[in-house]
Amino acid sequence: MNANENYQGAVCPIPKIEYDKILMAHGGGGTLTHQLIKKIFISQFGNEVLNVLHDSAILKVESKRLAFTTDSYVVNPVFFPGGNIGELAVYGTINDLVMAGAEPLFLSVSFILEEGFLIEDLWQIVVSMKNASQKGNVKIVTGDTKVVDNGKADKIFINTSGIGIIPEGVDIGPQNAKPGDLIILNGRIAEHGIAILSAREGIEFESEIISDLAPLNSLVSLMLNESKNIHVLRDPTRGGLASTLNEIAAQSNIGIRIYEDKIPIAGNVKAACEIFGLDPLYIANEGKLVAFIDPADAEKVLNQMHAHELGMEASIIGEVTKNNPKTVVMKTAIGTNRIIDMISGEQLPRIC
Amino acid sequence: MNANENYQGAVCPIPKIEYDKILMAHGGGGTLTHQLIKKIFISQFGNEVLNVLHDSAILKVESKRLAFTTDSYVVNPVFFPGGNIGELAVYGTINDLVMAGAEPLFLSVSFILEEGFLIEDLWQIVVSMKNASQKGNVKIVTGDTKVVDNGKADKIFINTSGIGIIPEGVDIGPQNAKPGDLIILNGRIAEHGIAILSAREGIEFESEIISDLAPLNSLVSLMLNESKNIHVLRDPTRGGLASTLNEIAAQSNIGIRIYEDKIPIAGNVKAACEIFGLDPLYIANEGKLVAFIDPADAEKVLNQMHAHELGMEASIIGEVTKNNPKTVVMKTAIGTNRIIDMISGEQLPRIC
């Protein structure tokens, strides 16, 4: 490696950062991920669109607002209960567009394949991506394929980028939460992460735990038809509900109070978390969203959600406070207050 | 792996395909890549936008036409003479937009990092991406970071996707070549591939061979100002000039005749190709384009190109014929005719 020799950019001193090598935790969605993004990426790439750190960038094209997002998927194992890496890549990117209030329209798909990967497995992934794109109502319009030597990737990595259009009157962003907003969660947490972990470790529970992977566009479309006063939407994927709420609290400069007994979780998932020693608040979801809504509209949105298969167990799990800005506090089931921090290490690597 | 067990899509028999595993040649840009794209990807994802197999998809948003493209970069080594993986990811995607006649505007950037990758190297890559995006006049508006375990990737892979706008009156596509069109190439071929190979093998030549990596937007903007009768633009990257011309011949259903003595190549690159036993027509470029132009406009476009630093050695290398559709024929320097096929194997893996 002769990095310096060929490096032609302006001299630019490296920022002070905690570690000199990439750790698994830099990809975990917690404080190390945020540090890497802020100090290395934003410090160089930063501009008024990127700095919002939304799930999607919002771009003006004539009178329309486009949402634009990207994600690379490296989940291990590639096939898991409830889906595979291909469906995850389609639905994950659809959901990032939806979290900006956009109607997803177009996806790109780029494969990095390891030499020796079975065509049969690739075919299954591709067929399920086709089905997922039909279910999610998007078109795959452009793509790319790269192959790397055996041992230089892990079977298959997939990048999907997506474009959607934001309807007029919709203004959703992680900086828009307001004191008094009620926080709705659409269902049970921690199922995706625990499904992946169980599959990876080969652990079987009495009843199989299945990923909640699903496209959220039709649910959100129902919500937005009911109210334009939805201020924030976010899908609590990597880093789980706790990290998502912390990000919103920081970006909107508000406090968040949630109630443990209002957060739906399946009994077998709760039990699995106890066995693994994991906190479900930090476990990834792939078919969940939190919505921050004007209190006047929250009930009617909730009623609409209850009529949708992905919102049947939706509930109001908390509210936005003026007090304790940038902090998430949970009232526990036994009545104490617990501060819910951003995670610092890595709970579960490669869950998406 | 329990693929079938978790597979929930409709039963869809796997197409007949030559190999049952992914080979390096599936990523080489030749016949095996095309087979994979056609039989596995297009057979499932196909739609009227994707099927064009342009460097970019062309999307209608209100009265505007957007170009949308994606590429994952896996080049080895990460730093090479003339650039690094980050600059390649920025310029490569800019060039794919430009080949649709678009003005590049926005990029997404998604990193897959191997655990243990040096932050110092990442920083150099990021700084040079920032400089490249400024030079190429695009904004990085959204991004993603994933980390995989040590040994499960090769240092760093980068996906960039891009959005541009196609000006009115521009109609460029690989299916648009017409008999009589003259074919312009903007300069010397095979420099990127040979630079990568030399760096990888640690071979030094008397004069260092440097990648031609460069953003082509300002050159193409000059060309389009001179003439709207540019029918095809294509950057001969993976698979080289030979593969690109074969793709255009097939998609436009025309014949192509080129002249060996008109194709610029540096003496040291030619010598290196002889040493490695490689045909320069199949070696990747990263700052080159071929343009298929109405013969009435070719000379004046060529003159404009000569005034640009990336077009000083531009020349007319051949023309489109009615005869021999879907075939590329080269008149060699010694006066014989040689059919230039699409490559079937893999000349150089991981050059982009």
Side-chain angles (χ1 to χ4, degrees):
Chain A
M1 240 266 328
N2 51 356
N4 283 300
E5 207 174 296
N6 294 308
Y7 176 59
Q8 292 163 1
V11 176
C12 190
I14 187 163
K16 275 203 195 327
I17 183 166
E18 218 168 322
Y19 298 93
D20 66 348
K21 288 187 180 131
I22 291 291
L23 311 181
M24 290 306 288
H26 282 117
T31 50
L32 281 182
T33 304
H34 284 83
Q35 195 185 85
L36 187 73
I37 290 172
K38 201 172 151 191
K39 294 203 175 173
I40 303 289
F41 300 137
I42 300 290
S43 75
Q44 286 297 306
F45 301 155
N47 57 58
E48 72 287 359
V49 181
L50 181 65
N51 296 355
V52 177
L53 293 180
H54 206 332
D55 284 326
S56 297
I58 297 177
L59 312 171
K60 275 260 187 189
V61 174
E62 295 212 308
S63 66
K64 291 283 182 197
R65 287 175 302 161
L66 293 190
F68 179 35
T69 190
T70 191
D71 258 309
S72 288
Y73 297 84
V74 299
V75 65
N76 170 32
V78 163
F79 297 90
F80 51 82
N84 65 48
I85 189 171
E87 289 167 297
L88 186 60
V90 172
Y91 292 150
T93 291
I94 285 176
N95 290 347
D96 279 345
L97 293 171
V98 172
M99 295 305 111
E103 289 164 14
L105 294 174
F106 305 111
L107 292 190
S108 65
V109 175
S110 178
F111 296 97
I112 297 175
L113 304 173
E114 184 187 10
E115 184 188 17
F117 187 59
L118 290 177
I119 297 280
E120 193 189 329
D121 288 346
L122 178 62
W123 177 248
Q124 285 206 0
I125 290 166
V126 166
V127 171
S128 62
M129 289 179 83
K130 179 240 186 112
N131 294 334
S133 67
Q134 286 178 338
K135 197 170 161 197
N137 209 17
V138 292
K139 274 187 187 160
I140 294 170
V141 291
T142 190
D144 178 49
T145 313
K146 293 294 184 329
V147 178
V148 298
D149 332 55
N150 187 265
K152 297 296 184 185
D154 197 3
K155 297 184 187 75
I156 179 170
F157 301 146
I158 304 178
N159 176 282
T160 47
S161 300
I163 296 177
I165 290 187
I166 301 172
E168 266 183 68
V170 170
D171 181 19
I172 290 170
Q175 72 288 3
N176 290 354
K178 289 174 186 47
D181 279 357
L182 294 175
I183 304 168
I184 294 178
L185 172 69
N186 68 316
R188 301 175 180 193
I189 62 166
E191 296 179 353
H192 177 73
I194 296 298
I196 296 291
L197 186 61
S198 310
R200 193 185 298 162
E201 307 293 336
I203 296 167
E204 283 181 25
F205 296 97
E206 212 163 309
S207 55
E208 191 181 32
I209 295 171
I210 292 176
S211 168
D212 61 335
L213 182 57
L216 293 165
N217 28 357
S218 63
L219 176 65
V220 169
S221 160
L222 210 64
M223 294 165 66
L224 284 171
N225 277 341
E226 191 61 38
S227 166
K228 291 286 180 288
N229 297 314
I230 299 177
H231 300 144
V232 183
L233 285 173
R234 207 89 197 233
D235 52 341
T237 55
R238 192 166 49 165
L241 184 62
S243 303
T244 295
L245 294 177
N246 268 285
E247 284 169 16
I248 297 166
Q251 288 185 258
S252 291
N253 196 28
I254 46 87
I256 290 176
R257 163 172 288 265
I258 55 174
Y259 301 91
E260 187 173 23
D261 57 8
K262 301 286 184 196
I263 300 170
I265 180 166
N268 58 350
V269 173
K270 201 171 175 182
C273 285
E274 279 163 17
I275 292 168
F276 290 129
L278 295 170
D279 184 337
L281 288 176
Y282 294 90
I283 305 288
N285 311 277
E286 289 292 346
K288 293 297 168 301
L289 61 81
V290 286
F292 287 58
I293 308 183
D294 188 293
D297 287 3
E299 275 299 332
K300 62 180 187 176
V301 171
L302 191 65
N303 287 337
Q304 283 298 319
M305 293 174 76
H306 285 154
H308 190 283
E309 58 169 340
L310 297 176
M312 290 187 300
E313 297 187 68
S315 63
I316 295 172
I317 62 160
E319 70 262 337
V320 175
T321 63
K322 266 193 211 165
N323 301 339
N324 310 316
K326 300 180 197 256
T327 309
V328 180
V329 177
M330 182 169 78
K331 187 115 183 164
T332 65
I334 54 166
T336 59
N337 285 321
R338 177 184 149 203
I339 289 179
I340 305 296
D341 273 331
M342 174 108 12
I343 199 168
S344 65
E346 166 81 28
Q347 267 212 336
L348 285 180
R350 297 182 57 192
I351 43 76
C352 61
Chain B
M1 238 267 325
N2 50 355
N4 284 299
E5 205 175 297
N6 293 308
Y7 175 58
Q8 294 163 359
V11 175
C12 192
I14 187 163
K16 274 202 193 332
I17 183 166
E18 219 168 322
Y19 299 92
D20 66 348
K21 288 189 179 131
I22 290 293
L23 311 181
M24 290 306 288
H26 282 118
T31 50
L32 281 183
T33 304
H34 284 83
Q35 195 184 88
L36 187 73
I37 290 173
K38 204 173 150 192
K39 294 202 174 174
I40 303 290
F41 300 137
I42 301 289
S43 76
Q44 286 298 306
F45 300 156
N47 57 57
E48 71 287 358
V49 181
L50 181 65
N51 295 355
V52 178
L53 292 179
H54 206 333
D55 284 326
S56 297
I58 297 177
L59 313 171
K60 276 260 186 188
V61 174
E62 296 212 307
S63 65
K64 291 285 182 196
R65 287 175 302 161
L66 292 189
F68 178 35
T69 191
T70 190
D71 258 310
S72 289
Y73 296 84
V74 299
V75 64
N76 168 32
V78 164
F79 296 91
F80 52 81
N84 65 48
I85 191 172
E87 288 168 297
L88 187 59
V90 172
Y91 291 150
T93 291
I94 284 177
N95 290 347
D96 278 345
L97 293 171
V98 173
M99 295 306 111
E103 290 163 12
L105 294 174
F106 305 112
L107 292 190
S108 64
V109 175
S110 176
F111 296 96
I112 297 175
L113 304 172
E114 184 188 9
E115 184 188 17
F117 187 60
L118 290 177
I119 296 280
E120 193 189 330
D121 288 346
L122 179 62
W123 177 247
Q124 284 205 3
I125 290 165
V126 167
V127 171
S128 61
M129 290 180 83
K130 180 242 187 113
N131 294 333
S133 67
Q134 287 178 339
K135 197 171 159 195
N137 209 17
V138 292
K139 274 186 188 163
I140 294 170
V141 292
T142 189
D144 178 47
T145 311
K146 293 292 183 332
V147 178
V148 298
D149 332 55
N150 188 266
K152 297 295 185 187
D154 196 3
K155 297 184 184 75
I156 178 171
F157 300 145
I158 305 178
N159 176 282
T160 47
S161 300
I163 296 177
I165 290 187
I166 301 173
E168 265 183 69
V170 170
D171 181 18
I172 291 170
Q175 73 288 2
N176 290 354
K178 290 173 186 48
D181 280 357
L182 293 174
I183 303 168
I184 294 178
L185 173 69
N186 67 316
R188 303 175 178 193
I189 63 166
E191 296 179 350
H192 177 73
I194 296 298
I196 296 291
L197 186 60
S198 311
R200 195 185 297 164
E201 307 293 336
I203 296 167
E204 284 183 24
F205 296 96
E206 213 163 305
S207 55
E208 191 183 30
I209 295 171
I210 292 176
S211 168
D212 61 335
L213 181 57
L216 293 165
N217 30 357
S218 63
L219 176 64
V220 169
S221 158
L222 210 63
M223 295 165 67
L224 284 171
N225 277 342
E226 193 60 37
S227 167
K228 291 287 180 287
N229 297 313
I230 300 176
H231 301 144
V232 183
L233 285 172
R234 207 88 196 234
D235 52 342
T237 55
R238 193 166 49 162
L241 185 61
S243 303
T244 295
L245 294 178
N246 268 286
E247 284 169 16
I248 296 166
Q251 287 185 258
S252 292
N253 196 28
I254 46 89
I256 289 176
R257 163 172 288 267
I258 56 173
Y259 301 92
E260 187 173 21
D261 59 6
K262 301 288 185 195
I263 299 170
I265 179 165
N268 58 349
V269 173
K270 202 171 173 180
C273 284
E274 279 162 17
I275 292 167
F276 290 128
L278 295 170
D279 184 338
L281 289 176
Y282 294 90
I283 305 289
N285 312 277
E286 289 292 346
K288 293 299 169 298
L289 62 81
V290 286
F292 286 58
I293 308 184
D294 188 292
D297 287 4
E299 274 300 332
K300 64 179 188 178
V301 171
L302 191 64
N303 287 336
Q304 283 297 321
M305 292 173 76
H306 286 152
H308 191 283
E309 59 169 340
L310 297 176
M312 288 188 300
E313 296 186 69
S315 63
I316 295 173
I317 62 160
E319 69 263 338
V320 175
T321 62
K322 266 191 209 164
N323 300 337
N324 309 315
K326 302 181 195 252
T327 309
V328 180
V329 177
M330 181 168 78
K331 185 115 183 165
T332 65
I334 55 165
T336 59
N337 285 321
R338 179 185 147 202
I339 289 180
I340 305 295
D341 274 331
M342 174 112 8
I343 201 168
S344 65
E346 165 81 28
Q347 269 212 335
L348 286 179
R350 296 182 59 191
I351 43 76
C352 61

